[in-house]
Structure formats: C-alpha cells, structure tokens
Amino acid sequence: MRVAFDSVTFSYGEYPALKTVSFEIESGTTTLIVGRNGSGKSTILKLMNGILKPTAGRVVLGETDTRTKKVSELSRSYALCFQNPDDQLFADTVSRELTFGIDNIGTGRNLLDLVIDTLELRPILSSNPYSLSYAMRRLVAIGSVAAMDTPVLALDEPTAGLSFREKEKVALLLQKLKSRKKTLVIVSHDLNFALPICQKILLLSKGSILFFGNRGEFFSKEDIRQVMRASGMTFPIYPRMARALGLTQPAFTCNELLIGLKAATTIKLDSN
Amino acid sequence: MNILIFEQYSYSYAPDLQAALKDINLEIKKDECTVILGPSGAGKTTFCLAAAGLLTSYPASVSSGTVKKPVPTIRTALVMQNFYSQITYLRNTVFEEVAFPLENMGLPRPEIFKRVNDVLSQMKIQHLAMRNPLELSGGEKQKIVIATALAQKPDVLILDEPLSQLDPESTSYLSDILHQLKGSITIIIAENDPYLILKIADKIAALSNGEIVSYGDVSTVFNSVGGKLVELPAWSICAREYETAEDGLSSSSPGYILGYKAALKKLGGQK
C-alpha cells in the first residue's frame, strides 16, 4: 500500500513542524526518515494514520484521504510503534499486549508466531510488561504492532535503548516483513542499523525535505559529507569506507564492504 | 575519597521476582566517571536508581546491604531512561521547566537565570527556551531533561542511557559536555555506546544478571568481558576511534584490539 503526502503543512500551535511537504512512498518499499531532533520525523508518522490531520494539503494512505476517516478505520491499514514504548503498553501480560491490536482490527494471527519467535518473546509471554526492562518493553511494543499484519508499518526510533543483540532481532523481523511486501517506514538516528534494511531515504531539515530517493543515490552524491554534516548526521562507517577505498558501489553492511573489496582486489589474510 | 559505597547491596522489585541487583560491592570515588555496562535486564537502571537513592520508596521491594554516602549532603541528579516521565509539564516553557528544580533548591533569581541560560547555551537549545515542553520531539525532550540535571550542578550526575533519542550531532555535544565535566564532578552513566565509553570512562562496571562480573579501567574490562556482554559492534569502535585519534590509532587501545579481532574474524569468514 502506498502513502502519499501532497503539499502537506502541519503546525503545533504557532510552530511549523512541516512546510509544504510532498513525496510518495511506493507500496512494498522500506523508507528511512532521518534528520535532526525536531525536524518533523515523528510528525510525518503521526500524519500517516490520521492521529494528526494536516493544517494544509492532504495525506493519502492507499487511496484514502486521512482527513475522511477515523484513526480506528485507518489502523487496519497502518500500524505505528511509538517513540516511547510506555505510551503504548497497557495490558497485564505480554501475551495480551501482543494480541490486543490483532483482535481489535481483526487481521488474524498470521504473523503472531513469527513475531514472537523472531523477537524471542516466548519466555516472557506471561510476564507483566511493566516488570520488564525498558529494552524488553520496546521489543514487546514493536512486536505488538508488527503482529497486526497491516500493509503499512511505521516504527519511531525502534532501536533506542536496545543492545546490539536486540537490534539484530528487530532487523531480522523487519527483513522478514520486507520479504512479505510490507511497506515499512522507519525513523532512526541509528544508520548502522537502518541503512542495510532501507531502500529509500527521506532527509528532513526544519520541516522541509532535503532529499528523497534511493539510498545508493544518496550516498553517491558528491557533496554527501557536507549534506550529512549540515543535517547533524555522521557519515556511517560502511559507506564511508567504501567511498574512501574507491569502490564503485556503496556498501551498507560489513559483508557488502568485503564483497566490494574482494571484487576490487585480492585480500591476503593474516591468520594470526 | 569515596562518594558512594555499595556494600553487599541486593535488590528485588518484589519478593517473587528475580533479584535485579545481587551482592554489589563497589566504591565510587569522587570526581570519577563510572560507566555501567551490560545487556538489557542486567540491572543497569536499577543500579542508577539505587545510586540516586530512589529505590527505598517501592513498597513491595526486598533489599539487603546498603548504599552509603560518606558525605550525606552530596547532591545527586538523575536523568532517567524513560525521561518522558521526568518532565513536570507544570510549566509552559522549557526555560521554566529547567528552572523548576533550581527554584526548589532556593537559589536566588539572578543565579537561576544565569544557570538556565548557560545550560541551554551549552546544550545548544536556546531556540527551545520559550517553547512548551509538550510540543517538543522525543529527542528535544531528552535534551531538556539532561539540561535540567546539569543546571543543578550536582555532586553526582547519574545518566541512564542519555543518548537514546539524540541525533548524532547532539550525541557529540553531550559527549563534549561530559568530557569537560569529567574530573570536576562524579558521573555514573549506563550506556552501551562505545564511542562515549571510550571518551569519558575512568572505570567500567560490567553487569550481568544483576551481578558485577568485571570492574576496572576501560582496557581491562573490554579485554575481559566487554565484547561478550554487550556484543559491541567492534568494527565500529575501531573506526570511530580511528576517526577521532589525533596521532593515529594506538595498537594498545581497546578499540584497536576489538576492531582488529572483529575485522580478522569477518575476513576469515569470507575466505
């Protein structure tokens, strides 16, 4: 399912969060939204399911103008995992938390086992979410939203507070959802986590779009360093090394970097 | 001089729950920076709450041992992992929010104005001063809570995952601020970000299942259990350290050692 923003403006009181923003996320793609704190990233996610309505312009989810439907109706198409998991969790067991959304929108439990097993939640199904660590609460929040099996899934800073191992579980879940042709939208500062998953990048600055396009195109830009610095981001390690080594293709994972290196040269290993 | 002493300290949130901290024995020295490292659920947040003296208020909890403050008058400030719950929302502007604890400390108004202006400038968030905290993004709220703690000029600053929602630029600012504060106040920080650890840690306490499994300087802990405990992205540590090293990378630095080993392992896997 596609999501389109058509000249969307949104203000919190007198402070503009988005300024005449237009873009279209194609069905089945994975998009990473990046930008400084306060650049409008979370606002975009909240506009997609009508929690916020545009001050001007329109947001179209599938073929539906979000101004014409209730959030409860739009939630059959779009699920959002909030930035703060504690805003989302309320059930007295992890199991009830994971099934609440599914049972309410009636999408069926097709993804439930996949989510539970990928995020390794089975040992804590009978636990109270509030007896868990913050990181585990975040995994439960992600799982409860992913299990809803909506065509569009958005995650706001899904790795905040997670350890490296937990990030790997979330990355694996997102890869599995990608293979099921879900439309994924991820807001994250954690480029090392998000870049290997995402095909498209939407870069925001002060409520305006600086770039929207393929990640390869983004990291092939001549002035990429300046663009990233001006947007408060650091140049992630793998694309930076690929560029420094003069590889023809950008790399977003260690393996891609090594494949690029192997193609370019013969690596002699010091087995010691 | 020790500023906090954990003596055989154990803590459970309820009698039927596994202990969150077990037999912790640790002396935290004045003006030292201690990083609490460990996987999720290891007890990092509980350690921070215990250090801040906040755990006694839980009604069903079970604890033994003590957390002693040799100087009872020391002031602590805590930035919680769930910083959203720390903003009072009683005030209409960020300026007033940051000033709130200073008013409660009974500071004179000119001093309050100076401290708030200084800390907003230090955190590079002067532009948020007149905004309502309710309207801010998650990352901006986290910066407000950190600014509120810094403005109090505490003897002990306790930060529980303070980088979680910050953009890379703000992460860099906060790292610089903590680096400047290092040596002048005691800092306890639960954080798994390797860059920050390498930049500011004097000591690392590695926790696993509520127990301290390693304690010492950065190299000692990283070389013993660091990688195993938190699965640090070693390649990234090496690269970040290389990026910031002025005179090249020392072959004895923890980032180099971990990065080198990880690189070899990865390369080996590609053979």
Side-chain angles (χ1 to χ4, degrees):
Chain A
M1 181 178 281
R2 74 182 187 120
V3 188
F5 277 54
D6 182 7
S7 302
V8 172
T9 295
F10 183 82
S11 299
Y12 292 100
E14 61 187 276
Y15 292 95
L18 288 178
K19 301 169 190 165
T20 327
V21 166
S22 295
F23 62 91
E24 180 172 337
I25 293 174
E26 292 163 31
S27 180
T29 58
T30 303
T31 302
L32 169 64
I33 304 181
V34 289
R36 279 197 174 87
N37 293 135
S39 59
K41 304 184 297 295
S42 299
T43 303
I44 283 186
L45 298 190
K46 289 174 188 164
L47 282 161
M48 285 182 181
N49 69 340
I51 292 178
L52 300 177
K53 306 288 186 195
T55 311
R58 62 182 195 140
V59 179
V60 180
L61 181 63
E63 301 305 323
T64 308
D65 185 330
T66 58
R67 294 172 302 183
T68 65
K69 297 278 183 186
K70 292 178 187 169
V71 176
S72 56
E73 293 169 305
L74 294 168
S75 65
R76 290 183 177 81
S77 306
Y78 175 97
L80 167 62
C81 186
F82 292 135
Q83 203 167 18
N84 180 8
D86 292 347
D87 285 345
Q88 203 175 316
L89 303 176
F90 67 95
D92 58 357
T93 66
V94 169
S95 180
R96 287 198 187 98
E97 195 68 60
L98 290 169
T99 52
F100 180 83
I102 304 170
D103 292 347
N104 272 279
I105 65 168
T107 45
R109 300 191 173 190
N110 311 326
L111 283 184
L112 187 59
D113 282 336
L114 178 141
V115 166
I116 290 171
D117 292 334
T118 310
L119 296 179
E120 297 176 22
L121 300 176
R122 209 166 287 283
I124 57 163
L125 284 177
S126 58
S127 303
N128 185 316
Y130 279 92
S131 71
L132 303 174
S133 70
Y134 188 78
M136 290 307 293
R137 297 205 297 278
R138 184 173 292 284
L139 288 186
V140 173
I142 292 170
S144 63
V145 169
M148 288 166 71
D149 201 9
T150 50
V152 186
L153 173 66
L155 304 162
D156 198 348
E157 294 291 354
T159 62
L162 298 191
S163 68
F164 187 59
R165 178 57 64 91
E166 288 152 354
K167 286 180 193 178
E168 285 184 331
K169 291 180 198 171
V170 177
L172 182 60
L173 176 65
L174 296 181
Q175 293 288 10
K176 288 178 179 175
L177 296 175
K178 247 178 96 171
S179 68
R180 289 171 175 255
K181 306 292 182 200
K182 300 286 183 196
T183 306
L184 303 177
V185 187
I186 300 166
V187 164
S188 183
H189 297 299
D190 190 347
L191 297 187
N192 290 322
F193 159 81
L195 278 177
I197 302 165
C198 297
Q199 298 135 306
K200 297 274 184 132
I201 291 179
L202 175 67
L203 171 60
L204 286 173
S205 178
K206 296 178 181 171
S208 297
I209 294 177
L210 287 189
F211 177 88
F212 180 57
N214 292 326
R215 63 175 186 178
E217 185 191 339
F218 182 68
F219 284 99
S220 300
K221 284 164 76 81
E222 276 299 313
D223 60 345
I224 181 68
R225 274 181 183 280
Q226 289 86 334
V227 169
M228 296 199 77
R229 197 174 298 131
S231 312
M233 295 193 291
T234 50
F235 200 168
I237 180 64
Y238 301 119
R240 181 155 50 89
M241 287 181 75
R243 196 179 178 95
L245 293 165
L247 302 185
T248 51
Q249 294 292 322
F252 300 103
T253 64
C254 190
N255 278 345
E256 285 175 13
L257 182 68
L258 290 165
I259 289 165
L261 274 172
K262 281 183 86 173
T265 183
T266 304
I267 303 168
K268 290 188 177 177
L269 297 174
D270 175 1
S271 57
N272 297 321
Chain B
M1 180 185 126
N2 292 327
I3 202 158
L4 278 177
I5 304 170
F6 285 73
E7 277 184 356
Q8 292 183 307
Y9 185 75
S10 297
Y11 189 88
S12 298
Y13 285 94
D16 55 339
L17 290 177
Q18 195 185 351
L21 292 176
K22 293 176 206 161
D23 282 329
I24 302 292
N25 288 293
L26 190 68
E27 294 176 348
I28 293 178
K29 291 192 170 49
K30 187 174 182 302
D31 300 341
E32 203 168 59
C33 177
T34 305
V35 172
I36 312 300
L37 194 68
S40 302
K44 302 190 294 295
T45 294
T46 309
F47 185 95
C48 288
L49 294 172
L54 293 179
L55 282 183
T56 50
S57 57
Y58 285 88
S61 62
V62 183
S63 63
S64 61
T66 55
V67 182
K68 284 184 185 167
K69 287 182 185 175
V71 183
T73 54
I74 62 159
R75 275 199 322 274
T76 58
L78 168 69
V79 174
M80 295 165 76
Q81 189 175 39
N82 186 359
F83 54 86
Y84 300 95
S85 60
Q86 224 176 323
I87 297 179
T88 67
Y89 300 112
L90 294 170
R91 305 304 179 94
N92 290 327
T93 68
V94 165
F95 191 99
E96 293 169 292
E97 181 71 37
V98 177
F100 186 67
L102 309 183
E103 291 170 341
N104 282 285
M105 286 161 65
L107 295 178
R109 288 184 80 77
E111 174 68 10
I112 292 174
F113 272 79
K114 182 177 183 316
R115 284 200 192 187
V116 175
N117 280 320
D118 286 352
V119 80
L120 294 181
S121 165
Q122 197 179 17
M123 292 288 293
K124 300 190 194 294
I125 49 173
Q126 305 98 309
H127 61 288
L128 302 178
M130 291 299 123
R131 297 279 302 276
N132 188 323
L134 277 170
E135 294 172 347
L136 302 181
S137 75
E140 287 170 334
K141 283 178 183 159
Q142 191 166 25
K143 289 185 213 175
I144 303 309
V145 174
I146 294 168
T148 307
L150 291 172
Q152 296 169 54
K153 297 190 176 172
D155 301 300
V156 183
L157 176 64
I158 304 166
L159 304 158
D160 191 356
E161 304 233 12
L163 307 181
S164 61
Q165 301 283 352
L166 299 191
D167 59 43
E169 189 177 59
S170 307
T171 297
S172 177
Y173 294 155
L174 183 59
S175 303
D176 290 343
I177 292 168
L178 294 176
H179 190 65
Q180 285 162 17
L181 285 174
K182 197 169 125 83
S184 61
I185 67 169
T186 308
I187 302 172
I188 297 171
I189 178 165
E191 182 58 63
N192 283 338
D193 182 276
Y195 177 60
L196 186 67
I197 295 168
L198 289 168
K199 188 161 183 173
I200 66 165
D202 292 312
K203 292 282 170 55
I204 295 181
L207 285 175
S208 179
N209 293 323
E211 294 178 80
I212 293 181
V213 291
S214 182
Y215 175 74
D217 60 28
V218 179
S219 294
T220 308
V221 175
F222 269 29
N223 285 326
S224 59
V225 293
K228 282 182 202 161
L229 273 179
V230 293
E231 301 282 348
L232 288 168
W235 181 282
S236 302
I237 300 175
C238 183
R240 291 289 288 275
E241 200 174 74
Y242 184 74
E243 183 183 30
T244 53
E246 287 176 8
D247 306 316
L249 200 59
S250 159
S251 61
S252 62
S253 72
Y256 180 90
I257 295 163
L258 282 174
Y260 181 70
K261 284 179 182 170
L264 271 184
K265 194 174 162 190
K266 286 278 185 189
L267 286 167
Q270 292 289 313
K271 270 198 284 192

